[in-house]
Amino acid sequence: MKIPSLFRRFLVLGGAFAWLTAGTAQAQLRVEVSGVGSTQVPVAVAAFANEELSPQLVSTIIRDDLNRSGYFRVIETGVAISETATVSFDQWKNKGAEALVVGSVTKNAEGRFDVRYKLYDVLKASMLSGFQMDAQSHKLRLTGHKIADDVYEKLLGLPGIFSTRISYVTKIGNEYHLEVADADGENVQVALVSKEPIFSPTWSPDGTKIAYVSLELKKPVIYIQHLMTGQRTTLASFKGNNSAPSWSPDGSKLLISLSKDAISQIYTINADGTGLQRLTTSGSIDTEARYSPDGKSIYFVSDRSGGFQIYRMNASGGEVKRLTFKGGVNISPRISPDGNTLVYISRREGGDQVYALDLVNGQELRLSDTARDEFPSFAPNGRYVLYATQIGRKGSLGIVSIDGKVKQKLSLQAADIREPTWGPFVK
């Protein structure tokens, strides 16, 4: 079979693609938003009382988060309102608000900040939620994200993802950086710097580690980076290619692809590098395996039908079923947290786009409006998909809602950015 050039590197690295240009990274990602949800909740977010005395305006962070989600119409209040103030619900109802966010920020004697917040249901004239958080100055941004998460959940019924993190790889000069940032692109931290390419990063379920592929030894080797300590351990360095790591739901083991016996096959391996076990024994290329959320099934890519398509098998490697039939090539399967939706990259009419397949009713939907997409990753609430794309000769990231209506673009002004993955909820 003749293999399209775009997918040759995929075969070697389990979904990784070549870098295009070098550049100088900026401190944070630039975020552009387009599109809105089919319905938007009108919510008024007041300035928090005394927040001007703190290094971060918590109410601004909340407003930005809700605006970026695409599912809220944020109403400016023009005034600061404390959580202790008496609320005139008729006033806010006349302004078109269905919910109201108020609060205060107070600096204590130790230099920490006491942040208090309340969320009101304007139509029912009642309090929906509220809490108090004690935060150091550098944690005020996280505090704002957590409040926005609470507003999102109370008004939409799904957990918010504003306090979660994403990771991605940038190329800066001759160096490759594995970076971690807040979901809004702020608070960027460099987890790893390497002279060789970094591919296929994937978060552990507890959010403390990232597994990835590196070419430091002049072949693909899988490592695990411990984010808190900076320690790195080798997971798989077998003969041939070691690629496509992904974690089990409990974090005890990983699925990996190895070509140590000539052709890429799928294996499981304990997180400490022991207990290697082969799952597939086909005469075809099998790679990019992912567990279902309950750990009972595995989604993977194979060319056993003549072209690369997505299949599902049970966790022990049996009962294989093909899932994708449209498009000449379908790769990079990712399953939603509820197990009902599969997203992947599909090659059609010369382009590579993000598609979603409803596993319940079989309906398929194109999510991205770009044409050179790769490496999709679900947000932990299942409502958004993060992916890499190319605009011109420059790599950037995109975020799209699972209904395809809300879209975001994340980019660095003078650097390529690739290989994104969305981190889990962390308590």
Side-chain angles (χ1 to χ4, degrees), residues 97-416:
E98 295 182 5
L100 172 66
V101 176
V102 300
S104 65
V105 180
T106 305
K107 189 174 183 178
N108 61 31
E110 290 77 30
R112 300 171 68 89
F113 292 88
D114 179 63
V115 181
R116 298 171 184 262
Y117 131 88
K118 284 183 180 178
L119 172 65
Y120 290 102
D121 184 325
V122 171
L123 301 183
K124 294 182 179 179
S126 62
M127 192 180 86
L128 277 177
S129 186
F131 53 73
Q132 177 270 338
M133 293 185 69
D134 181 64
Q136 295 175 300
S137 59
H138 68 281
K139 293 290 187 180
L140 280 171
R141 187 166 196 87
L142 177 60
T143 301
H145 289 324
K146 287 187 176 295
I147 293 173
D149 282 345
D150 190 65
V151 174
Y152 190 101
E153 183 169 13
K154 296 302 187 297
L155 297 182
L156 299 182
L158 283 174
I161 42 76
F162 307 115
S163 63
T164 61
R165 297 181 295 170
I166 62 174
S167 72
Y168 49 86
V169 179
T170 60
K171 186 180 181 184
I172 304 171
N174 294 321
E175 291 183 338
Y176 298 84
H177 291 195
L178 175 62
E179 299 182 356
V180 174
D182 294 346
D184 62 355
E186 298 278 350
N187 192 28
V188 177
Q189 298 174 324
V190 179
L192 176 71
V193 177
S194 175
K195 294 293 185 181
E196 298 296 333
I198 301 168
F199 299 102
S200 306
T202 178
W203 290 83
S204 63
D206 64 3
T208 65
K209 298 177 285 292
I210 294 177
Y212 65 93
V213 178
S214 173
L215 299 183
E216 292 175 28
L217 299 181
K218 307 307 177 184
K219 72 169 188 175
V221 174
I222 302 173
Y223 297 94
I224 294 178
Q225 185 75 20
H226 299 254
L227 298 177
M228 297 299 293
T229 65
Q231 178 187 7
R232 185 177 79 162
T233 56
T234 301
L235 179 74
S237 183
F238 298 96
K239 176 185 175 182
N241 296 324
N242 306 260
S243 62
S246 65
W247 297 82
S248 63
D250 64 1
S252 65
K253 57 186 176 181
L254 294 90
L255 293 167
I256 61 176
S257 296
L258 302 178
S259 64
K260 67 186 188 69
D261 296 320
I263 194 167
S264 178
Q265 295 290 283
I266 297 168
Y267 295 74
T268 61
I269 190 170
N270 294 333
D272 62 1
T274 64
L276 183 69
Q277 180 180 352
R278 185 169 176 172
L279 292 183
T280 60
T281 55
S282 73
S284 305
I285 295 170
D286 297 331
T287 186
E288 279 208 301
R290 296 272 169 161
Y291 279 105
S292 61
D294 61 9
K296 295 180 180 179
S297 300
I298 293 172
Y299 296 81
F300 68 101
V301 173
S302 177
D303 69 345
R304 61 185 62 193
S305 63
F308 289 103
Q309 298 294 336
I310 297 170
Y311 296 79
R312 180 176 58 207
M313 62 184 175
N314 62 38
S316 61
E319 300 179 11
V320 177
K321 178 183 179 181
R322 180 174 169 178
L323 299 178
T324 55
F325 294 89
K326 297 179 181 179
V329 173
N330 292 289
I331 61 172
S332 302
R334 307 290 187 265
I335 189 71
S336 62
D338 64 6
N340 292 330
T341 304
L342 181 73
V343 298
Y344 48 93
I345 302 298
S346 184
R347 164 160 282 194
R348 305 183 191 187
E349 299 177 355
D352 306 301
Q353 299 97 23
V354 181
Y355 276 78
L357 176 65
D358 188 318
L359 296 175
V360 178
N361 60 29
Q363 293 185 349
E364 189 182 48
L365 176 67
R366 177 177 169 178
L367 298 182
S368 63
D369 55 11
T370 43
R372 303 185 71 175
D373 307 332
E374 59 191 44
F375 218 78
S377 176
F378 265 105
N381 68 354
R383 195 154 196 174
Y384 303 91
V385 176
L386 172 68
Y387 63 97
T389 191
Q390 183 182 329
I391 300 177
R393 292 188 56 81
K394 185 178 177 183
S396 62
L397 304 183
I399 295 176
V400 60
S401 58
I402 197 61
D403 60 4
K405 296 182 180 298
V406 181
K407 293 180 171 67
Q408 301 176 31
K409 176 188 172 185
L410 296 82
S411 60
L412 292 171
Q413 184 174 354
D416 262 345

